[in-house]
Amino acid sequence: MQQPQDPPATGLPAPSEGAPRVGPRPGPAAGGASAVADATAVGRLAGTVERLRLELERAQAHSAGRAVVEMGVGVLVERLRCGPTEAAGQLEGLAEQAGVSTLALAADLVNQAAADQISALARAFVEEAAVPPEGAAEPVAVRLRSTEADALAGGDAAAAARAMLDHALRPLGVAAVAVWAAHPDLSLSLAGSAGFHDEEARRWRHVPPGVPTPARRALDERAAVGYPTLAEASLPSVGQHEIRGGRLAVPAGKGGRLIGALELCWHEELPELSQPLQRQFEALAEVAAATLESGGGRGPHTPEAADTRFEELRQLTDGLLDPCMVLRVAPDGDDVPPPFVIRHVNPAFVDFAGRPTGAIAGARLLEAYPLAAEPGGLAEKAEHVFATGEPFRTPDLRLAALVDGVPLVTRAQVSISRHGSHLAVVWRLDDGTPRVARLLQHAQRLGRIGGFEEDLRTRRIVWNDTLFELHGLPPTAPPIALDQLPEHAHPDDRHALGRFLRTLLHHHRPASTAFRLQRPDGVTRHIRVVAEPVHEPGSGLRTVRGAYQDISAQHWTEVALAATRDQLAQSEQQAAERSRLALQLQHAIMPPARGPLDLPDLRVGVRYRPAEKGHLVGGDWYDALPLPSGDVLLCVGDVAGHGIEAATGMVALRNALRGLAATGAGPAQLLGWLNSVTHHLTDNVTATAVCGLYRPGARRLRWARAGHPPPVLLRGRRATTLPQLGGILLGAVDQAEYTEGELVLEPGDELVMYTDGLIERRDESFQASLTGLMALAEQARSAAADGADGLEEHLDHLLRYSNADTDDDTCLVGIAVR
């Protein structure tokens, strides 16, 4: 079947689909007389249909305008106290004198008498001297009042949609309008529409929950939502294939409730929404809400129907086994969010704060439960349900009340649902009274707390079982009155009990004190008593209630803690003294700062950096000493551990090596002897060391190592480590042999000997740390000057930029060959 071809562009607006075309259809270049006759007949028929359509539109406009005029006549009847005929004549005469149409004057009268959104919008346009849009023959107030009258006269949302489009929206370029009704299950139904095909409207008569349409977005956000084009919004909606331009969805509500949404559609992009335009659309949404509320898509809504609904809801809630209260908006509640009144409570209702039902029913929600206004509280949940119709259920909601200035809090299962203009709030309190009582008994037993209550007039005293145990009395013994407590207390505590009783019984103020209770079985317990007077209106002080707590364990714990604190203070003082002595000893042997030493053929620079924490005084040591044989002793060592033991071990090893070096033995032999000395020290000392003997003139260095990092040699701009000679750490075994190495140094060479505190890192291997040290040494050598000052700068650079993180002592010896 051949598809019809699109008509050529003519510069005129295309007729809507399905509407008869006006004028002759384009035809072939040549045709017979019958074709011309048929075209003429069709043209006359189309002209007749168009004339009838315009007459129908004028009739509808006249009907809506007539309704507005009748409302204006009604206003004059009320104000002039005259009959309808005289009021109609007065309206026409006043319109003629003012130079305006009767319809415009009637709309102004209605706006003056009303206090709704349309009247406010009309006043705003008058104040701003707004110019009607091009093509609009009537003022905004007339168009909106006509829309309202026609919509209410139609009686359903479909008529309201047609009235909005014909009277108010076509002059603004709107192509179609949809009125959506919202339901408690979050679904939507198309209650009325205009500008769409009937088939399209039927397809969209119901939108299930969860479909993200523009109307659903407006209801969720509770604000107008606009999209430049529906295609860019990527949201489905009615007319999405034929009207793909701008979309605007405005929530429609009444009395604080959202009951639907108004959706406007443009063929072109969404126009710029000025504030006057936005207010027009909000006024039309209010008309849509009134239509829905009055029965257009929701059923009848009259005072009688509302009372019937409430009666049905009351009967329903009275049959519930759980506490329930019915809320409604306060009659004078025009605020947003709306204030709620507790209109009814069912027979099962129990106030969790213990107040009678009569104090709750009839009160405002926030007067009965002011703490319900907290964020996420009961009032916020009720406002959401009332506005959206979406039911709310939770297994755990915090309920709070304020009684005599004291907040009372409980947790409950809560369900809130909307029924017309009412809310049903059902809560199921945690019925844990027996469980709470058991918990209280266990808490009193574990805390060794006993409660009492004493009637000062009848002398009736009530104790719980725990209190008899605290006093060492059998359950059948008579309780001890408060004024008899001094007779059962230690004599030194009776004065404190006297002050307690005077404050409580004479000054009528809460009081507490601690005393030693002397029980009949000879046991003395440390007890704290706290009590408060209970005042009765018109009768003064009659009852005293309070509790006793056995604090003996706490008392003896405090005594033990005090002794422990004294002991710790003494230990800390001793530890501080030992650290101070160790530091003094270390500094006496090796000052942290020391100038360069001038030895034959050598300049020696030393740096020593103690640990950052004073109690970590270590056993790092160094020495540079000319020997009687003409050699120069160069050594660095590190005793394991910290404190006074490490410092004294360092002194012993350093002095022992000095004495052994005077024998003229080589470095391997010296370390072998030093190992035996270390092994036989009584403190089980272990250490690492590097020992070298330098022969001036020949510039020959012999050296050996005992588990210590190898020295670093800088020759030119390149750094290398000396070979890893074998040798176990000092003190590990009784007899040990060490390997000796030999190296001839050249003028300008620099040798760096150090302890592991310079390179050790917790997150790196030893070899990686050693590689980092060689790179740092080359950098320092390049940055340092020549001569003695260059050696000092080199050592300072190594110490300053070392990335070690073990917080250990660091000893650094630099040897420059001249």
Side-chain angles (χ1 to χ4, degrees):
M1 183 175 182
Q2 185 177 1
Q3 298 294 329
Q5 301 296 319
D6 293 335
T10 62
L12 299 176
S16 59
E17 184 176 348
R21 295 180 181 269
V22 180
R25 294 178 178 269
S34 59
V36 174
D38 291 343
T40 304
V42 171
R44 287 198 300 270
L45 179 60
T48 302
V49 171
E50 180 67 12
R51 186 178 64 259
L52 292 175
R53 184 180 65 82
L54 294 176
E55 290 179 357
L56 178 60
E57 289 180 354
R58 284 195 295 269
Q60 291 175 344
H62 177 74
S63 174
R66 194 66 219 168
V68 175
V69 171
E70 289 175 357
M71 286 189 286
V73 170
V75 173
L76 288 180
V77 168
E78 190 274 333
R79 291 187 177 181
L80 300 178
R81 305 295 182 184
C82 62
T85 303
E86 183 180 354
Q90 290 283 352
L91 180 63
E92 292 180 359
L94 292 173
E96 185 177 356
Q97 294 175 10
V100 296
S101 66
T102 305
L103 179 60
L105 180 59
D108 288 341
L109 289 174
V110 173
N111 288 333
Q112 293 174 10
D116 58 0
Q117 191 168 1
I118 294 178
S119 62
L121 182 59
R123 286 193 297 271
F125 267 84
V126 172
E127 293 171 359
E128 298 173 9
V131 178
E134 183 179 355
E138 299 173 334
V140 173
V142 174
R143 290 191 285 110
L144 293 180
R145 285 298 176 195
S146 300
T147 301
E148 181 185 37
D150 207 358
L152 296 178
D156 60 10
R162 289 193 299 271
M164 291 182 213
L165 185 61
D166 293 339
H167 295 298
L169 295 176
R170 284 197 192 278
L172 302 178
V174 177
V177 61
V179 177
W180 300 94
H183 303 291
D185 62 351
L186 302 184
S187 66
L188 298 173
S189 60
L190 186 60
S193 64
F196 303 107
H197 292 309
D198 293 341
E199 182 62 29
E200 180 71 6
R202 282 193 296 271
R203 278 199 324 116
W204 284 88
R205 66 182 182 275
H206 178 72
V207 178
V211 179
T213 63
R216 184 73 263 168
R217 291 281 176 85
L219 289 170
D220 291 341
E221 298 182 16
R222 305 177 70 176
V225 176
Y227 301 96
T229 64
L230 187 62
E232 293 179 7
S234 301
L235 295 177
S237 188
V238 59
Q240 58 186 354
H241 299 297
E242 52 183 310
I243 305 177
R244 301 175 59 85
R247 290 290 172 112
L248 178 67
V250 185
K254 189 173 182 181
R257 290 178 297 140
L258 295 182
I259 58 179
L262 177 67
E263 185 173 352
L264 311 179
C265 314
W266 282 264
H267 280 297
E268 306 299 331
E269 285 194 359
L270 182 69
E272 182 179 356
L273 298 179
S274 62
Q275 186 174 4
L277 276 180
Q278 293 180 18
R279 297 184 64 184
Q280 284 191 60
F281 297 145
E282 292 171 1
L284 293 174
E286 187 176 276
V287 173
T291 304
L292 294 172
E293 186 72 5
S294 63
R298 285 184 172 267
H301 183 78
T302 62
E304 294 79 7
D307 289 342
T308 301
R309 289 182 179 180
F310 169 70
E311 186 62 24
E312 294 174 353
L313 181 60
R314 186 189 64 79
Q315 294 178 4
L316 174 64
T317 57
D318 286 351
L320 298 178
L321 299 179
D322 292 319
C324 177
M325 57 184 179
V326 178
L327 307 180
R328 69 168 179 176
V329 177
D332 57 344
D334 295 330
D335 300 335
V336 178
F340 294 107
V341 172
I342 303 174
R343 187 175 183 184
H344 175 69
V345 294
N346 68 346
F349 182 83
V350 177
D351 178 45
F352 61 87
R355 293 169 294 185
T357 303
I360 304 300
R364 294 200 176 203
L365 177 65
L366 294 183
E367 291 176 355
Y369 302 99
L371 298 184
E374 62 186 359
L378 181 64
E380 181 179 301
K381 303 303 182 185
E383 291 162 7
H384 179 79
V385 174
F386 188 77
T388 64
E390 178 185 356
F392 170 77
R393 295 181 183 86
T394 180
D396 183 29
L397 183 69
R398 181 179 183 268
L399 299 179
L402 199 64
V403 180
D404 295 333
V406 178
L408 302 177
V409 181
T410 188
R411 314 294 298 193
Q413 303 176 41
V414 177
S415 171
I416 307 175
S417 57
R418 192 178 80 188
H419 304 268
S421 58
H422 292 80
L423 293 180
V425 180
V426 181
W427 63 43
R428 179 176 297 175
L429 301 177
D430 185 9
D431 189 13
T433 303
R435 183 160 55 102
V436 171
R438 290 194 300 270
L439 290 175
L440 181 59
Q441 292 176 359
H442 291 312
Q444 291 176 342
R445 177 180 57 83
L446 295 174
R448 299 188 63 79
I449 300 174
F452 70 91
E453 185 174 272
E454 181 174 342
D455 191 318
L456 299 179
R457 297 183 182 180
T458 64
R459 307 298 295 177
R460 182 174 178 270
I461 304 173
V462 179
W463 278 11
N464 65 357
D465 295 339
T466 306
L467 203 51
F468 285 98
E469 296 177 5
L470 291 182
H471 283 262
L473 298 174
T476 56
I480 300 173
L482 282 174
D483 55 6
Q484 298 175 358
L485 269 183
E487 302 175 8
H488 299 269
H490 191 279
D492 294 344
D493 297 334
R494 291 174 183 174
H495 184 64
L497 280 174
R499 290 197 305 270
F500 164 77
L501 294 174
R502 282 193 300 274
T503 302
L504 180 66
L505 302 178
H506 294 282
H507 300 294
H508 299 175
R509 295 199 305 265
S512 65
T513 189
F515 67 98
R516 284 164 288 180
L517 176 67
Q518 295 181 329
R519 305 195 323 181
D521 55 6
V523 176
T524 298
R525 308 296 297 178
H526 290 263
I527 301 294
R528 173 171 292 278
V529 58
V530 58
E532 65 176 359
V534 181
H535 299 277
E536 295 185 5
S539 60
L541 178 61
R542 177 166 182 170
T543 306
V544 173
R545 60 190 174 201
Y548 293 87
Q549 182 180 15
D550 188 349
I551 59 172
S552 301
Q554 177 184 348
H555 170 77
W556 293 117
T557 300
E558 291 177 354
V559 172
L561 285 175
T564 303
R565 282 195 295 267
D566 293 341
Q567 184 177 359
L568 286 175
Q570 183 178 1
S571 299
E572 290 176 356
Q573 183 178 1
Q574 293 176 352
E577 184 66 20
R578 289 170 59 87
S579 297
R580 186 180 63 82
L581 291 175
L583 191 60
Q584 288 179 346
L585 179 60
Q586 189 181 60
H587 288 178
I589 302 300
M590 293 180 304
R594 186 172 180 178
L597 303 177
D598 287 322
L599 299 174
D601 293 343
L602 297 176
R603 276 189 178 273
V604 180
V606 176
R607 292 292 183 273
Y608 177 73
R609 180 177 62 192
E612 293 184 6
K613 298 179 182 178
H615 66 280
L616 295 179
V617 175
D620 291 15
W621 52 277
Y622 62 89
D623 209 350
L625 177 69
L627 299 176
S629 61
D631 292 341
V632 177
L633 174 65
L634 302 170
C635 58
V636 170
D638 185 3
V639 176
H642 299 87
I644 190 68
E645 293 83 3
T648 54
M650 172 270 292
V651 174
L653 294 185
R654 185 171 183 267
N655 291 338
L657 184 58
R658 280 193 167 195
L660 294 171
T663 63
Q669 182 63 57
L670 291 176
L671 287 182
W673 290 340
L674 190 61
N675 172 73
S676 298
V677 173
T678 307
H679 183 75
H680 290 91
L681 288 177
T682 57
D683 294 331
N684 297 321
V685 173
T686 57
T688 62
V690 170
C691 179
L693 292 177
Y694 177 76
R695 176 60 59 89
R699 296 190 180 90
R700 182 168 58 96
L701 175 69
R702 293 184 298 155
W703 68 286
R705 58 183 288 269
H708 200 83
V712 172
L713 174 65
L714 283 131
R715 178 166 289 172
R717 301 296 182 184
R718 188 167 180 270
T720 58
T721 61
L722 298 189
Q724 294 269 14
L725 302 178
I728 193 172
L729 77 164
L730 303 174
V733 296
D734 186 13
Q735 299 291 331
E737 294 183 359
Y738 296 91
T739 304
E740 185 175 301
E742 185 174 320
L743 176 67
V744 176
L745 299 176
E746 300 176 0
D749 286 351
E750 188 174 323
L751 191 69
V752 178
M753 305 169 70
Y754 53 93
T755 57
D756 55 7
L758 182 68
I759 63 171
E760 276 189 339
R761 287 190 58 84
R762 298 180 179 90
D763 57 350
E764 286 185 356
S765 65
F766 172 77
Q767 188 59 43
S769 298
L770 192 58
T771 302
L773 174 62
M774 288 190 292
L776 183 62
E778 291 176 354
Q779 178 186 2
R781 183 69 178 270
S782 300
D786 296 331
D789 293 338
L791 176 62
E792 295 291 304
E793 292 179 9
H794 186 194
L795 297 180
D796 290 338
H797 187 94
L798 289 177
L799 205 59
R800 182 180 304 114
Y801 294 106
S802 167
N803 62 351
D805 64 356
T806 56
D807 192 27
D808 199 359
D809 284 18
T810 299
C811 184
L812 183 61
V813 178
I815 304 158
V817 181
R818 295 186 291 186

